[in-house]
Amino acid sequence: MSQIYTLLLCLEGPMQSWGYRSRFDYRDTALEPTRSGVIGLICAAMGIARGEDISRFDSIRMGVCVDKEGRPERDYHTALDVIKADGSGTNTVVSYRDYLADASFTVGLQSEDLQLLQNIADALIQPKWPLFLGRKAFPLTVPPLKPGDDPKEGRLEDHLLSGDKKARVMLESPDGEKIQHDWPLCFGQRRFKPRSITTRFADRGTQS
């Protein structure tokens, strides 16, 4: 049996936004980091442009431990002189943008490809492009990794379901109870597919 490894990232900041069903006048946010948002963060660190192939990340299984639940907030933006669809004139358009305030997450990336996880870790420690939490205006409070934070042996469950508090954990699973359309196929063409997620809870001193 192949060895399984997990890389753990810290995603923390005063504001985060993890949209997965946004429209022009409304940009939503999930309550935890999406797969598309995390892969986008990795692409920025590695210097992978929007139109480039990202299939190398398809072998990764992702999980999220909610260390601190964020507080949902909403911003209102007004755009003046927006041209109407029929070209008959202009309108004033109010758009809504949701985000999470004061949230903190541990994201786990599981793979049998140790070299891929190590390449991701190296890039996140020394990113080629600026990193942000879902939107360019939302920087990280702390780096996602520190030097020496290398992939560890074990599955997501081994690392995310053990801890010193009861925390909500979202794990990719083929029989999950929730479907979310945020698996990126191509950022340049904005193509995504659904993924299945199950919710577990970490308990003191327990491991899966």
Side-chain angles (χ1 to χ4, degrees):
M1 181 179 294
S2 299
Q3 185 64 53
I4 295 175
Y5 301 90
T6 295
L7 179 66
L8 299 175
L9 321 178
C10 175
L11 298 186
E12 182 177 308
M15 293 185 288
Q16 307 186 31
S17 182
W18 306 105
Y20 64 98
R21 54 186 180 190
S22 300
R23 303 187 303 272
F24 170 74
D25 58 350
Y26 174 54
R27 296 186 181 180
D28 70 329
T29 182
L31 297 179
E32 59 281 321
T34 57
R35 185 180 178 97
S36 58
V38 172
I39 297 300
L41 181 83
I42 293 169
C43 287
M46 299 179 78
I48 299 173
R50 276 186 172 274
E52 291 187 47
D53 178 39
I54 55 173
S55 62
R56 74 192 78 175
F57 304 120
D58 287 350
S59 64
I60 290 175
R61 178 184 175 224
M62 192 180 101
V64 179
C65 179
V66 182
D67 300 316
K68 182 181 179 183
E69 295 277 1
R71 184 178 69 255
E73 301 283 358
R74 174 171 292 178
D75 276 349
Y76 297 89
H77 294 254
T78 302
L80 301 176
D81 300 326
V82 176
I83 298 174
K84 294 180 180 180
D86 61 5
S88 62
T90 60
N91 267 338
T92 297
V93 176
V94 178
S95 62
Y96 308 87
R97 300 183 184 185
D98 292 346
Y99 62 92
L100 298 176
D102 301 321
S104 180
F105 305 98
T106 298
V107 173
L109 306 175
Q110 173 188 305
S111 179
E112 296 178 2
D113 189 340
L114 176 59
Q115 188 59 59
L116 173 61
L117 293 181
Q118 189 62 60
N119 291 344
I120 291 171
D122 293 342
L124 288 170
I125 292 170
Q126 292 187 309
K128 291 189 177 180
W129 297 336
L131 306 181
F132 50 86
L133 298 170
R135 293 184 196 153
K136 291 183 179 179
F138 296 168
L140 290 81
T141 302
V142 296
L145 289 173
K146 302 185 297 294
D149 287 345
D150 296 321
K152 309 175 188 299
E153 290 188 5
R155 303 174 301 150
L156 292 174
E157 287 84 351
D158 300 325
H159 298 286
L160 297 183
L161 291 177
S162 61
D164 59 359
K165 64 179 180 179
K166 194 171 185 68
R168 183 166 57 89
V169 178
M170 311 295 288
L171 299 168
E172 291 182 351
S173 171
D175 57 351
E177 74 276 2
K178 177 182 178 182
I179 301 296
Q180 195 157 291
H181 202 86
D182 65 352
W183 186 301
L185 299 174
C186 177
F187 284 118
Q189 299 175 5
R190 296 191 60 80
R191 291 193 294 115
F192 304 88
K193 70 177 184 179
R195 66 185 178 117
S196 178
I197 306 168
T198 190
T199 302
R200 302 273 297 276
F201 288 90
D203 286 301
R204 180 184 294 272
T206 64
Q207 289 192 350
S208 174

